[in-house]
Amino acid sequence: MNILVLGSGGREHAIVRSIVNSPKSEKVFVASGNGGTAQIATNVKLDQNDGAAVLQFCKDNDVELLVIGPEAPLVAGVADLVREAGIDVFGPGAQGAQLEGSKRFSKELMMQAGIPTATYESFTDEASAMAYVEKVGAPIVVKADGLAAGKGVVVASELSEALDAVKDCFGGKFGESGSTVVIEECMTGPECSLLAFTDGITVAPMATAQDHKRALEGDKGPNTGGMGVYSPVPIVTDEEHAAMVDALERTVATLRERGIDYRGVLYGGFMLTKDGPKVLEFNARFGDPETQVLLPRLKTDLVDVMVACAQQRLADVELEWIDDWAVSVVLASAGYPGSYDKGFEITGIEDAQASEGVIVYHAGTAERDGKIVTNGGRVLNVTALGKDFQSAREAAYAAVEKIDFSSKTYRRDIGAKAAQGRQAWE
Ligand code: AMP
Ligand code: GLY
């Protein structure tokens, strides 16, 4: 079948690679893709948030499955429009995507479903929000309600930081996204992502993964889209795993009770607190860079899984995973997540991929005159598989050394804490 994937990051390169490897796929289009997807599929120019344009493209090119990578088109309702036209879509409609598009919506749903999460209050006026922050004191977490490209969350250790964050939100720093503010209890503990495929009824959890959100080693510096990741997460106990699965199942069941038919990926971001796993956030899509360690470990045909979700028959599919561990290191442009230069030639990708179990996913790259050049903040995701955690880590870092571009920067401590065990977080 012909398939259209929306998105242009490392996540989409990983999705497209698995789709292209499936015997079920024929023509695979990516809007707008990157230098990596250009090598294995057809990149097309299309406004991913314009549902009518996406639908027209699907009709013109006999697309039978639309896969939506990023959150913005989901929140914009692109899935609804295309699904109504009778085309299979992997990704929830606008109502379900509110889980990610509105933190208040997702917190209210968690309360209704009895899902453990940080205690919170939400505000639509600055004075009440300021008064609440003054009353509770630091540490405290301030979140813009809507989408803010990962920048709308401030974990404030000082009261002044929290008050500034409230002012920023109501002052318009995040546009409409900040006109409602969620203020939360600050939790501590290791983080763990658990994503699940779902067709709105059945929930099929993937393997666990752990992202590294801060820009600098030792979890210092500003939050980023993610600097590295590994899967599975060795410190998670069976009890914690069961609690996370329960949270995802309850979420889908509660959506269903509300008449929301959610088909795609439900991403749970959890903090493993002393009182058990608590939800930090939900996303309505695959994680980036989590996907770059999850999909290489998935044995089941991804197209089969996606079509089963879209057609609400996921109960018929059994997910199988390979036993190998996976570690992925993000190579970024110096300056990211602030400003950075781009257009630098990248060398050594083929050499790095020549090692067994190494896959280099493109994120912010472009093809120019037959060369691959940097074209974003997160440039490449170097994933390696290994029989154990340590060998996967070593293979990933050995591959990282083979790749070169001006402004290349990366964290050298991806997975370091996991290697030390749980006490590394105490
Ligand atoms: P979010 O986008 O809501 O996942 O927030 C981004 C990051 O901020 C999370 O991955 C956590 O590291 C941190 N964070 C969010 N909420 C809290 C919280 N209630 N307590 C402590 N850290 C948090
Ligand atoms: N890795 C975090 C995210 O995808 O939101």
Coordinates of all heavy atoms in Angstrom, one line a residue, residues 103 118 141 143 153 155 184-187 191 213 223 271 280-281, ligand 1:
K103 N -2.7 20.7 28.9 CA -2.3 20.1 30.2 C -3.4 20.0 31.2 O -3.6 19.1 31.9 CB -1.1 20.8 30.8 CG 0.1 20.7 29.8 CD 1.5 20.8 30.5 CE 2.6 20.9 29.5 NZ 3.1 19.6 29.1
A118 N 1.1 14.5 39.8 CA 1.4 15.6 40.7 C 0.1 16.3 41.0 O -0.7 16.6 40.2 CB 2.4 16.5 40.1
V141 N 6.3 23.6 40.0 CA 6.5 23.5 38.6 C 5.4 24.3 37.9 O 4.2 24.2 38.3 CB 6.4 22.0 38.2 CG1 6.5 21.9 36.7 CG2 7.4 21.2 38.9
K143 N 3.5 25.3 34.3 CA 3.4 24.8 32.9 C 2.4 25.6 32.1 O 1.3 25.8 32.6 CB 2.9 23.3 32.9 CG 3.9 22.4 33.6 CD 3.4 20.9 33.5 CE 4.4 20.0 34.1 NZ 4.0 18.6 34.0
V153 N 7.5 24.4 30.2 CA 7.6 23.9 31.5 C 8.8 24.4 32.3 O 9.9 24.4 31.8 CB 7.7 22.3 31.5 CG1 7.9 21.8 32.9 CG2 6.5 21.7 30.8
V155 N 10.7 24.0 35.9 CA 10.8 23.4 37.2 C 11.6 24.4 38.1 O 12.8 24.5 37.9 CB 11.5 22.0 37.1 CG1 11.6 21.3 38.5 CG2 10.8 21.1 36.1
E184 N 2.0 22.9 39.4 CA 2.1 21.5 40.0 C 3.1 21.4 41.1 O 4.1 22.1 41.2 CB 2.6 20.5 38.9 CG 1.6 20.1 37.9 CD 2.2 19.0 37.0 OE1 3.3 18.5 37.2 OE2 1.4 18.6 36.1
E185 N 2.8 20.4 41.9 CA 3.8 19.9 42.9 C 5.0 19.4 42.2 O 5.0 18.8 41.1 CB 3.1 18.7 43.6 CG 3.9 17.8 44.3 CD 3.3 16.4 44.5 OE1 2.2 16.1 43.9 OE2 3.8 15.6 45.2
C186 N 6.2 19.7 42.8 CA 7.5 19.2 42.2 C 7.8 17.8 42.7 O 7.9 17.6 43.9 CB 8.6 20.2 42.5 SG 10.1 19.8 41.7
M187 N 7.9 16.9 41.8 CA 8.2 15.5 42.2 C 9.7 15.2 41.9 O 10.3 15.9 41.2 CB 7.3 14.5 41.3 CG 5.8 14.8 41.4 SD 4.8 13.6 40.5 CE 5.2 13.9 38.8
E191 N 13.0 9.3 35.7 CA 11.9 9.4 34.7 C 11.9 8.1 33.8 O 13.0 7.5 33.6 CB 12.1 10.6 33.9 CG 11.8 11.9 34.6 CD 11.8 13.2 33.8 OE1 11.4 13.1 32.7 OE2 12.3 14.2 34.4
K213 N 16.6 14.8 28.9 CA 16.0 16.1 28.4 C 16.9 17.3 28.5 O 16.9 18.2 27.7 CB 14.7 16.4 29.1 CG 13.6 15.4 28.8 CD 12.3 16.2 28.6 CE 11.2 15.3 28.0 NZ 10.5 14.4 28.9
N223 N 16.2 22.6 29.3 CA 15.5 21.4 28.7 C 15.6 21.5 27.2 O 15.6 22.5 26.6 CB 14.0 21.5 29.1 CG 13.7 20.6 30.3 OD1 14.4 19.6 30.5 ND2 12.8 21.0 31.1
M271 N 7.3 9.8 36.4 CA 8.4 9.9 37.3 C 8.2 8.7 38.3 O 7.1 8.5 38.8 CB 8.3 11.2 38.0 CG 9.6 11.5 38.7 SD 9.7 13.3 39.1 CE 10.9 13.9 37.9
L280 N 3.9 12.5 34.5 CA 4.4 13.9 34.3 C 3.6 14.5 33.2 O 3.3 15.7 33.2 CB 5.9 13.8 33.9 CG 6.9 13.5 34.9 CD1 8.3 13.2 34.3 CD2 7.1 14.7 35.9
E281 N 3.4 13.7 32.1 CA 2.7 14.3 30.9 C 2.3 13.1 30.1 O 2.8 12.0 30.2 CB 3.7 15.1 30.1 CG 4.8 14.3 29.6 CD 5.6 15.0 28.4 OE1 5.1 16.0 27.9 OE2 6.7 14.5 28.1
Ligands
AMP1 P1 6.6 17.8 30.6 O1 6.7 18.4 29.2 O2 5.3 18.1 31.3 O3 7.0 16.3 30.6 O4 7.8 18.4 31.4 C1 9.1 18.4 30.9 C2 10.1 17.9 32.0 O5 9.9 18.8 33.2 C3 9.8 16.5 32.5 O6 10.4 15.5 31.7 C4 10.4 16.6 33.9 O7 11.8 16.4 33.8 C5 10.1 18.0 34.3 N1 8.8 18.0 35.1 C6 7.5 18.2 34.6 N2 6.6 18.1 35.6 C7 7.3 17.9 36.7 C8 6.9 17.8 38.1 N3 5.6 17.9 38.5 N4 7.9 17.6 39.0 C9 9.2 17.5 38.6 N5 9.6 17.7 37.4 C10 8.7 17.9 36.4

